[in-house]
Structures are given as C-alpha cells and as structure tokens.
Amino acid sequence: MTTDKSATSLDKAGTTADAPPVGNPDAADGAATVIDPRLLVREQGLSGYVTEFKRKISGGDLGSIPVIVGLAIIAVVFQSMNSEFLSAKNISDIATTMVATGMMAVGIIFVLLLGEIDLSVGSVSGVSGAIVAVLSVTQGMNEWLAILVAIVSGAVMGAIHGFFFARVGAPAFAVTLAGLLFWLGFMLQLLGDSGTINLDGDGVVGKLTTYYFTDVAAAYGLAAIAVVGYFAAAFLDARRREAAGIPARPLADILVRTAVIAVFGFAAAYMFNQYRGLPLALVLFLIVLVGTDFLLRRTAYGRKIFALGGSVEASRRAGINVTAIRISVFSIAGTFAAIGGLFWASKIAAANQGSGTGDLLMNVIAAAVIGGTSLFGGRGRTWNALLGVMVIVSIQYGLSLEGIATPIQYMVTGAVLLATVVIDSVTRKTQKTAGRA
C-alpha cells in the first residue's frame, strides 16, 4: 500500500515540513491542531483567550481553575454566614496558621510529582519540634544551631526513606508508613516522661508565627516587589523568546496579568495593615514558594523530576540517575516536614506528644492535591501548596466561626478532597482521550 507525500504547514510562524504517510486518515482528520496560546493571544486578542480556554477545557487541562473557583465560593458562603470571615484579623490568622501545613505540602508536592506518596511527614515534623525543644531548652544549645540540627535531621530521615524505596526497591507507601511509626516512637522517646517541653515565646522558633512587620511599608513593599518581580520576569522571558524566534506573550498580555497580581497583592497588604501588619511566617512561606517554583521549572534538576513522573523507563534511557533523584526528592520532603514542624512548635509554643499526629498528615496531602497537584505524577507546581492550604484552613476557620463541631469539619474537608481527586481522575482520562497524556 502506498500513500502520497504532501507538504503541510506546521504552524503560523511559517515553518513547513513534509508530512509522513497517514495510516489512519479518519484518526488524522479528528486530531486537534495544537497552536501555541501566545500566538492566539497575539493574533486574536481577547478572543484568543476564549479560544485557548475552550481548548484547555475540552482537553481536560483545568489547571488551577477549580480551586480558584472553590476559594471564591468559600469566601462568599462564609462571609454571608458571618461578616467576620473576611475581616483583617481572620485573614491574618488564616495566613499565619496555614504556613506550617503549607511548608509540609511543598515537600509532599515533590514526592507526588514522582507519582509516589510519603506518609511519614507528620511524624518527621514532630521529631523536628522535639529536637529543637530538647537541644535548646533541656540541653542549653544555641537555638539557631538547634534549628539547623532539626532541619538536617529531617533531610536525613527523608533520605533514609528514599534509600529503601529507590535503592532497595521497597514500595514508598510501606517504607514511609514504617517511618511514620518509627519516628513517632522516636519523638516520644525524645520528649521523655513529661511528654511536653515548652518553648521560649521570645525565641527564634517562638517568633516564627508571632512576629509581625508592623510598619505599613513592609506589606505594601512586599506587594510592590511581587508585582515588579513578576513583570520583570515575564517581560524578560518574552524578550528572550522573541530573540530566539519562538512565540512569546505580547506586552498587553503581560500587563493584564501584572495588573491582576497587583490588585490581589495590594488588597492583601491593605488587610494585613488593618490588623497587626505583615506576618513573618507568610513572608518566609512566599520565599520558599518562589525558590522551589524556580527549582522545579527553571533548572535541569526540576525537569528530571517531571520526567520521572512521566515515565521512569524513558527517564532512565535518557541518562537520568533515577535512584539519586528519588532519594533527593524524599530528602526534600523530609526537609520541609522538619521546617513545617518548627512552625507548628511555634504555633503552640511547645513540643508535645501530639505534635505531628491527628489530621496533620491528611491535611498536608489534601493541600497538595486540592491545590492542583496530580496524584498520578508529572503534573503540579509548588504554588499548589498555597492554593490548597488556603482552601483547607479557610474551611476550618469558616466552620469554627459558626461554632460547627470538629467532626463536621473533618467530613467537609474529606468531601472537598474526594471531589478534587475525582476531578483529577476525570481530567486525566479526558487528557488521554484527547491524546495529551
């Protein structure tokens, strides 16, 4: 059987190539042509956004749309029930409380990108708080040094999990479940018979969640830095793409996106300044999000993580050291679990037997998944931790304002998590149907 060879246009940039023989003309006719969204926006303006949005929806690429819509609904519903929900104090409390869970969710996202899970982060966070309390309070060690030891210990604990998973070949679920139990016992052993060690509220750890930048210039300054930083990064990226002759976002598109960030950024700054000022905890969280996002999206190491989440065998054949990447990812998860543990210890001003237990692990995983990170690996961003933890903590605070019991809070959070997982599963199937997964 022979087929004619014909030339076809690949894109609107003028690049052409000979098309290979088509073995299934019907399938070829039904295949959707993928056009770079930057070209659509540049050539069609506002209608280009609509066209690209329709293409993403039909292909199952929902992105952060569900969680953003969910946050809007949460805000409207709880504000209508209680006018204090969007008050400056409540927003500031939410921003401070969500950091501990959010930090741990950042580490979990790295693991989820591999398509794996880490059940030990709650216990690791508890060990971190216990180490700081024992070393700085009981043993009299310098608090900064105690913090360093706790964070390094978290990285080592994560690396141990990664070793048994990547080198020995044990399932990550079983390894980290064993880690959950082992490190929980280790934490109880460290805390001793009393079970509780109080921390100095004026110490380094104590101030993580209690210190606020009271000068109004701090909050507005951070908002300005975020806006200018985003515009500069987007503008320079567009110029580099244009210089390379590939599609880039037009200036108007960048300005619109910058304006949206400015509105939300300065609105948040205004609300913080109406209460106690800019929380130190939130500043540290945002710094971590920016840094880890750069690591994942702009470095070779980050691309290797995404590659592993897509296909382990293909990554191995491409020359990626699969074992080393896996161990390092679990070490990163342990590191951020330890950092999250420090924020939890700061929140309660102590390390006790309840640290890292309860619903913490489920909230951490839920934050990553609700924010948009896929459970199947290969899709997600560290900013998903911010969106997801905002949903969880907002629900908890909204229900608490209404005096709704904790069991109901668990059920509501579980329902939201289930809905998110269902959306993720349906999205994945839609992408396979559309030939994009």
Side-chain angles (χ1 to χ4, degrees), residues 35-69:
I35 301 175
D36 195 296
R38 301 175 184 85
L39 290 176
L40 286 173
V41 174
R42 180 182 295 278
E43 296 179 1
Q44 301 178 18
L46 181 60
S47 63
Y49 283 107
V50 177
T51 301
E52 175 63 7
F53 178 76
K54 291 180 179 178
R55 185 189 69 80
K56 286 184 175 181
I57 295 299
S58 62
D61 186 7
L62 300 179
S64 299
I65 295 176
V67 67
I68 292 175
V69 172

Side-chain angles (χ1 to χ4, degrees), residues 151-166:
I151 294 176
V152 172
S153 297
V156 172
M157 286 183 274
I160 292 173
H161 301 150
F163 172 82
F164 282 102
F165 165 59

Side-chain angles (χ1 to χ4, degrees), residues 133-272:
V134 170
L135 293 181
S136 64
V137 177
T138 305
Q139 303 298 325
M141 179 183 288
N142 177 274
E143 192 171 8
W144 281 106
L145 182 57
I147 291 173
L148 178 61
V149 172
I151 294 176
V152 172
S153 297
V156 172
M157 286 183 274
I160 292 173
H161 301 150
F163 172 82
F164 282 102
F165 165 59
R167 179 67 70 179
V168 179
F173 179 90
V175 170
T176 56
L177 179 60
L180 181 155
L181 298 173
F182 182 89
W183 301 123
L184 176 60
F186 184 62
M187 178 192 71
L188 297 177
Q189 184 70 25
L190 285 176
L191 293 175
D193 296 334
S194 65
T196 300
I197 301 177
N198 295 323
L199 296 173
D200 181 7
D202 294 326
V204 179
V205 174
K207 289 185 176 180
L208 286 176
T209 56
T210 60
Y211 185 83
Y212 293 79
F213 297 96
T214 55
D215 192 330
V216 295
Y220 289 126
L222 180 62
I225 290 173
V227 172
V228 173
Y230 173 81
F231 175 80
F235 182 79
L236 292 175
D237 182 64
R239 297 291 78 79
R240 285 194 296 267
R241 296 180 68 89
E242 288 180 352
I246 55 180
R249 295 193 184 279
L251 180 59
D253 183 22
I254 296 174
L255 290 174
V256 170
R257 291 168 180 264
T258 303
V260 172
I261 292 176
V263 169
F264 283 99
F266 282 99
Y270 172 79
M271 294 300 291
F272 289 138

